[in-house]
């Protein structure tokens, strides 16, 4: 699928004369490790949007409770439409009445490596997403280490689970959602972003 085709649902939901969100379509930066971002989104209900750079777009899941560092905590992750790469640094306010109205914060941002394997062979990430299972190593400011995303329900109510893998960065006693609530990009709180845009 071309990047423009992948972004069609994203663009159809938004009116770019009204929302400050990026339309997308700038050429992807050359080289470097792929990006991940977790955006805290105070929409009708507060949630965390987990996004991974895959084949020129940000594959996206909405996580109501946010990520956990405890491998025993499985977090529901509901897939949403692909977002443009430029969205990774979007922080601001989506106006009332527009799709996803509310404040968006870059809660965590960094790079990642794809660790997905099948029978000992690496699986490209696009394929892993299509097959419903992927494993990544995150290098963020708040989230580090291995995480797995696994689809457990297909169809109209498609649903996945995000789980911290058991490794040296797993920690059942730390909760980054509670301990580090502010922006990884600007240090601002949700209230400050709401006031400043
Ligand atoms: Mn959202």
């Amino acid at each position: 699928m071309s990047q423009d085709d992948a972004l069609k649902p994203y663009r159809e939901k938004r009116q770019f004369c009204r929302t400050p969100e990026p339309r997308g379509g700038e050429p992807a930066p050359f080289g470097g490790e792929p990006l991940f971002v977790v955006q805290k989104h105070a929409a009708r209900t507060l949630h965390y949007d987990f996004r991974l750079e895959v084949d020129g777009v940000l594959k996206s899941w909405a996580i109501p409770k946010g990520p956990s560092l405890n491998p025993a905590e499985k977090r529901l992750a509901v897939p949403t439409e692909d977002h443009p790469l430029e969205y990774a640094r979007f922080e601001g306010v989506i106006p009332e009445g527009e799709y996803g109205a509310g404040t968006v914060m870059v809660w965590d941002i960094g790079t990642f490596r794809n660790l997905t394997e099948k029978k000992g062979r690496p699986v490209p990430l696009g394929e892993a997403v299509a097959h419903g299972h992927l494993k990544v190593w995150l290098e963020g400011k708040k989230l580090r280490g291995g995480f797995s995303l696994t689809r457990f329900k297909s169809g109209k109510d498609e649903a996945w689970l995000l789980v911290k893998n058991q490794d040296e960065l797993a920690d059942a006693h730390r909760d980054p959602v509670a301990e580090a609530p502010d922006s990884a990009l600007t240090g601002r709180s949700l209230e400050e972003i709401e006031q400043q845009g």
Side-chain angles (χ1 to χ4, degrees):
M1 206 194 306
S2 81
Q3 198 201 52
D4 273 333
D5 288 342
L7 293 177
K8 211 169 162 235
Y10 170 87
R11 289 176 179 148
E12 282 172 356
K13 290 175 195 290
R14 291 169 174 80
Q15 305 186 69
F16 295 102
C17 53
R18 302 216 180 121
T19 177
E21 295 166 290
R23 189 175 183 283
E26 281 168 37
F30 183 74
E33 305 236 283
L35 272 181
F36 87 92
V37 64
V38 181
Q39 277 154 323
K40 189 169 170 179
H41 187 187
R44 259 177 312 177
T45 53
L46 181 76
H47 60 272
Y48 293 76
D49 289 301
F50 183 82
R51 312 189 198 279
L52 293 173
E53 178 180 349
V54 182
D55 300 336
V57 294
L58 294 173
K59 288 281 166 197
S60 300
W61 292 261
I63 304 183
K65 290 187 175 173
S68 173
L69 299 179
N70 181 353
E73 291 270 339
K74 295 179 168 65
R75 293 290 160 92
L76 176 66
V78 179
T80 59
E81 75 277 16
D82 295 347
H83 279 49
L85 293 183
E86 298 96 299
Y87 208 94
R89 290 188 174 78
F90 173 71
E91 192 168 87
V93 180
I94 303 170
E96 205 54 52
E98 300 307 303
Y99 182 76
T103 306
V104 178
M105 170 200 286
V106 177
W107 181 77
D108 198 15
I109 188 166
T111 58
F112 73 91
R113 281 181 291 127
N114 177 18
L115 301 179
T116 317
E117 287 187 350
K118 196 171 184 183
K119 292 175 184 155
R121 292 180 183 215
V123 178
L125 209 52
E127 225 173 273
V129 172
H131 289 160
H133 176 71
L134 62 91
K135 193 169 152 186
V136 288
W137 183 275
L138 303 182
E139 289 288 347
K141 292 180 178 165
K142 301 173 188 178
L143 301 180
R144 293 185 58 229
F147 286 80
S148 291
L149 263 167
T150 307
R151 185 168 60 211
F152 68 95
K153 209 197 261 176
S154 299
K156 193 164 64 67
D157 300 318
E158 187 178 333
W160 298 52
L161 290 172
L162 176 72
V163 184
K164 177 75 193 74
N165 296 333
Q166 198 64 258
D167 56 35
E168 68 274 20
L169 294 166
D171 191 338
H173 304 290
R174 279 189 44 231
D175 176 8
V177 165
E179 289 164 20
D182 298 335
S183 170
L185 203 58
T186 61
R188 296 186 296 172
S189 66
L190 269 181
E191 292 70 28
E192 287 170 316
I193 297 167
E194 196 186 335
Q195 284 158 18
Q196 299 163 0

